[in-house]
Amino acid sequence: MRPPLPEQPSTVTGDTQRSESPTREFKPPDYFNGLPLEEVYVELLKLNSPYEKMISRDLSRTFPKHDFFRSAEGRGQEALFNVMKAYSLYDCEVGYCQGLSFVAGSLLLNVRPETLSSAL
């Protein structure tokens, strides 16, 4: 059994906004050492990211005319949201930045989402 984890920081610096949803435990990247990539991805998706609102707002702006990303409830936007959320938790120094969704979206067309989050 793994040791208990520290709580997620209560503040975010800069011009970012925190999600209004309650936060769960924050797991720093060192906690995942030795776990298969797919397990890390699944564990990160169970957590709340302070960037979820910003990520959701930007989804429709990322390749809006591409069939894979066009539908708000579609597979493409769901996969993009999940990858961006997982990455925002995995790389605490970067968190989320708007242009990153275009990089992730391009890669999502060729790579499975759980593999993509580590490539970013």
Side-chain angles (χ1 to χ4, degrees), residues 5-82:
L5 301 170
E7 288 293 317
Q8 186 171 7
S10 60
T11 61
V12 176
T13 58
D15 295 327
T16 59
Q17 299 173 352
R18 289 191 59 80
S19 171
E20 292 177 11
S21 58
T23 59
R24 292 176 61 167
E25 295 177 331
F26 172 70
K27 297 181 180 183
D30 290 344
Y31 183 78
F32 296 116
N33 282 345
L35 285 180
L37 183 59
E38 288 80 8
E39 285 184 40
V40 172
Y41 181 74
V42 168
E43 289 300 312
L44 287 170
L45 290 180
K46 293 177 184 176
L47 303 174
N48 292 319
S49 169
Y51 302 99
E52 287 183 33
K53 275 187 160 181
M54 288 189 293
I55 294 168
S56 293
R57 218 174 319 166
D58 290 340
L59 289 177
S60 63
R61 301 176 194 161
T62 306
F63 303 119
K65 296 188 181 200
H66 194 287
D67 289 339
F68 188 63
F69 299 107
R70 187 174 296 152
S71 173
E73 303 298 320
R75 235 181 45 183
Q77 284 196 20
E78 180 182 1
L80 184 58
F81 176 84
N82 288 341

